[in-house]
Amino acid sequence: MALLLGCKLLSLFLLPLFLVSPSLSDPLYQVCGSTGNYTAKSTYESNLLALLPSLASNGSNQGFYKDTTGRVPDQVYALILCRGDTNTSACRNCLDLARQDALQLCPYNKGATIWYDNCLLRYSNSNFLNSTDNSNVIYMWNTQNVTDDLDKFNKLAGELVNRTSQYAAFNSSRRFGTGEANFTATDPNIYGLAQCTRDLSGDQCYKCLTGITSAMSRFLGKRGGRVLGDRCNFRYELYTFYEGKSLLQLPSSSSSPPPSNGTNTTGNGNTTPAVPTMGGDGNKNNIGMILAIVIPLVIAFLLMSTICICFWRRRRLAKKIPNDTNPEEITSVESILFDLSTLRTATANFSEENKLGQGGFGSVYKGTLHNGREIAVKKAFQQAQGKE
Ligand SMILES: *[C@@H]1O[C@H](CO)[C@@H](O)[C@H](O)[C@H]1NC(C)=O
Ligand SMILES: *[C@@H]1O[C@H](CO)[C@@H](O)[C@H](O)[C@H]1NC(C)=O
Ligand SMILES: *[C@@H]1O[C@H](CO)[C@@H](O)[C@H](O)[C@H]1NC(C)=O
Ligand SMILES: *[C@@H]1O[C@H](CO)[C@@H](O)[C@H](O)[C@H]1NC(C)=O
Ligand SMILES: *[C@@H]1O[C@H](CO)[C@@H](O)[C@H](O)[C@H]1NC(C)=O
Ligand SMILES: *[C@@H]1O[C@H](CO)[C@@H](O)[C@H](O)[C@H]1NC(C)=O
Ligand SMILES: *[C@@H]1O[C@H](CO)[C@@H](O)[C@H](O)[C@H]1NC(C)=O
Ligand SMILES: *[C@@H]1O[C@H](CO)[C@@H](O)[C@H](O)[C@H]1NC(C)=O
Ligand SMILES: *[C@@H]1O[C@H](CO)[C@@H](O)[C@H](O)[C@H]1NC(C)=O
Ligand SMILES: *[C@@H]1O[C@H](CO)[C@@H](O)[C@H](O)[C@H]1NC(C)=O
């Protein structure tokens, strides 16, 4: 069957879709290591089984911890990070779960990275502890679109994520920031969160975060989005998803500058458009002016590049995919994640009828999202991809 062939091809060179469960206690995602397996009752196993519980007992108070045990070739390296707003017990609960899930989802694998809403656990036999690389970057977004004031939303969400990242990098020794911005009077606020592992310097953290916040261009118009990494992560939503008060408030941007109307663009305009700046900053006017010039440019650039990327991707995929597979079906399959419930609905609860085939890592189902778009869904129980 041509369809099956298409599917096989797909699973060969594109990362499949994976499942997100809405429950807090389920992993968001996991990436098993690629540095080999250990055997039952080996020294590596006993090192690993000794190290994992100690991470939770030593690290849940601080919310960040890294440690190693054993000697090469059986040395195990591990790192944990809890979300900055979790308390000791919530952190510990999450890590206890992570340890069990990781061993179950990546059995006998020397390495694993597993993400939850509240925590991250990573272990490996290769020493990644001093690395500042944000490997294993996973993109997730809310499939619901923003309907009103799209441009304003994209701009505000981008700005919020940027400011929250700056806060995490430079205003927090814990490298953690949360922020909110008023969208419109009727709509709820936008909430953002950014975090790095605490061993990064401010500059390293900021660099890590700018590396992933560039993904905001993938999320244009989406009601929420997040990027998971093993050194830094961020998220934004139109609802609160963290505990406590936001550390940062973006002033309302309802008084955005009026569209220019044949105005003189050169030289020193004597009107300073009202642009959001952070409260308490000096140089308000300068910052405002710079933002007023830079933001529209950036937005235009982002829009243009999104269009270009989409166009390019369609062409590229059209080249690689057999004709009977609509390239639209598989836009940015790298690591898209949908709600489990969305996927359940789309695939009629993974019914046999919708099953397209069975690949090396799991079964592939055809699905139709409620907007009519067709997707290929891979249901993977165990995943053996990813880099260490
Ligand atoms: C590790 O184990 C998995 C199954 O548990 C297997 O698919 C994989 O090939 C093994 N890798 C190595 C390097 O032996
Ligand atoms: C970590 O916790 C274990 C007990 O779980 C303890 O034996 C060990 O000394 C602790 N390590 C540090 C560095 O505190
Ligand atoms: C810790 O946080 C959890 C969830 O936010 C909350 O239910 C619990 O009461 C908190 N525990 C303490 C001791 O504050
Ligand atoms: C990692 O950092 C620690 C202390 O910061 C240092 O002692 C160690 O040599 C470093 N290891 C590597 C492999 O760079
Ligand atoms: C969201 O917008 C995208 C493109 O702008 C569109 O393809 C998709 O169907 C929309 N999704 C929903 C759920 O409305
Ligand atoms: C956010 O920061 C990135 C990188 O620094 C920049 O390219 C982008 O224009 C900024 N976005 C907004 C909306 O300020
Ligand atoms: C963050 O730190 C910078 C300087 O490091 C300071 O100017 C700014 O006011 C701080 N912002 C907040 C919200 O504390
Ligand atoms: C933003 O929203 C909050 C509550 O949603 C409100 O208290 C505050 O006044 C608003 N700020 C601005 C500048 O509109
Ligand atoms: C442009 O400005 C002129 C006068 O300055 C005004 O009559 C016109 O309505 C403006 N057009 C727009 C689109 O704002
Ligand atoms: C442009 O600038 C000139 C002189 O600086 C001024 O007379 C004119 O009204 C300006 N035009 C607009 C549209 O603002």
Side-chain angles (χ1 to χ4, degrees):
M1 250 164 63
L3 200 57
L4 205 96
L5 186 74
C7 235
K8 280 243 164 78
L9 261 175
L10 255 183
S11 54
L12 272 180
F13 61 82
L14 289 173
L15 273 182
L17 298 162
F18 287 93
L19 307 182
V20 197
S21 167
S23 160
L24 244 185
S25 53
D26 286 340
L28 293 167
Y29 201 82
Q30 79 277 346
V31 175
C32 299
S34 56
T35 51
N37 296 335
Y38 59 87
T39 53
K41 305 212 160 59
S42 60
T43 312
Y44 191 87
E45 181 180 59
S46 64
N47 287 343
L48 182 63
L49 295 183
L51 181 58
L52 292 182
S54 85
L55 295 169
S57 54
N58 293 324
S60 47
N61 186 28
Q62 288 294 308
F64 171 70
Y65 194 68
K66 51 185 191 178
D67 202 0
T68 179
T69 188
R71 274 196 218 122
V72 177
D74 295 309
Q75 191 164 2
V76 189
Y77 303 86
L79 172 155
I80 60 105
L81 177 69
C82 282
R83 208 174 64 190
D85 58 320
T86 55
N87 58 32
T88 304
S89 59
C91 178
R92 196 189 177 114
N93 288 343
C94 186
L95 292 173
D96 284 342
L97 211 62
R99 159 165 58 102
Q100 293 161 23
D101 286 350
L103 292 173
Q104 211 159 37
L105 292 163
C106 302
Y108 297 111
N109 197 311
K110 285 188 174 173
T113 307
I114 188 164
W115 288 271
Y116 296 76
D117 271 329
N118 282 345
C119 69
L120 153 74
L121 164 68
R122 180 179 182 193
Y123 58 83
S124 175
N125 65 327
S126 82
N127 186 358
F128 63 92
L129 296 183
N130 285 5
S131 161
T132 58
D133 286 356
N134 205 30
S135 45
N136 298 321
V137 173
I138 308 297
Y139 304 93
M140 298 168 62
W141 57 79
N142 194 320
T143 53
Q144 295 301 306
N145 292 336
V146 173
T147 47
D148 303 322
D149 279 333
L150 202 58
D151 288 345
K152 183 183 169 193
F153 177 81
N154 290 335
K155 178 179 151 181
L156 200 57
E159 203 188 328
L160 176 65
V161 164
N162 278 10
R163 299 300 276 266
T164 311
S165 298
Q166 279 166 18
Y167 188 98
F170 302 119
N171 292 75
S172 160
S173 59
R174 295 156 59 232
R175 304 280 176 260
F176 174 70
T178 57
E180 65 184 81
N182 289 4
F183 182 25
T184 63
T186 51
D187 272 298
N189 289 355
I190 313 178
Y191 298 88
L193 178 153
Q195 186 172 18
C196 298
T197 58
R198 207 170 303 170
D199 54 339
L200 299 192
S201 69
D203 286 336
Q204 287 170 335
C205 173
Y206 192 62
K207 192 169 163 225
C208 184
L209 284 169
T210 48
I212 57 172
T213 52
S214 60
M216 283 302 281
S217 59
R218 296 170 182 241
F219 302 156
L220 292 177
K222 301 292 173 212
R223 292 178 69 89
R226 62 167 121 178
V227 177
L228 310 171
D230 33 34
R231 286 296 173 175
C232 65
N233 63 78
F234 80 86
R235 181 180 187 185
Y236 77 91
E237 298 285 355
L238 277 168
Y239 57 87
T240 43
F241 57 91
Y242 47 82
E243 304 278 328
K245 256 188 87 178
S246 301
L247 298 167
L248 184 67
Q249 300 267 346
L250 253 67
S252 165
S253 69
S254 54
S255 50
S256 52
S260 71
N261 176 12
T263 46
N264 300 324
T265 47
T266 51
N268 31 42
N270 40 18
T271 56
T272 309
V275 170
T277 54
M278 286 198 7
D281 275 352
N283 300 331
K284 253 187 197 149
N285 285 0
N286 283 344
I287 294 171
M289 296 264 301
I290 291 165
L291 286 179
I293 294 163
V294 167
I295 288 173
L297 279 178
V298 162
I299 300 284
F301 174 76
L302 285 183
L303 279 172
M304 292 272 290
S305 33
T306 311
I307 291 165
C308 288
I309 288 168
C310 287
F311 199 68
W312 169 79
R313 184 169 272 146
R314 282 174 68 158
R315 287 176 51 128
R316 197 176 56 111
L317 288 173
K319 267 188 218 148
K320 286 195 178 178
I321 311 286
N323 288 338
D324 59 325
T325 312
N326 176 0
E328 281 282 346
E329 282 177 27
I330 43 160
T331 32
S332 42
V333 188
E334 299 126 67
S335 293
I336 312 175
L337 291 133
F338 295 98
D339 257 3
L340 182 55
S341 57
T342 310
L343 290 180
R344 280 232 162 90
T345 316
T347 58
N349 202 13
F350 300 107
S351 72
E352 285 298 309
E353 263 168 44
N354 284 352
K355 197 157 161 179
L356 293 174
Q358 187 102 31
F361 303 110
S363 313
V364 181
Y365 296 80
K366 182 178 129 171
T368 311
L369 296 177
H370 55 86
N371 59 18
R373 203 174 108 192
E374 288 204 319
I375 53 168
V377 178
K378 177 162 273 193
K379 192 178 182 189
F381 293 106
Q382 175 194 333
Q383 188 203 352
Q385 261 145 342
K387 312 168 250 164
E388 282 282 324

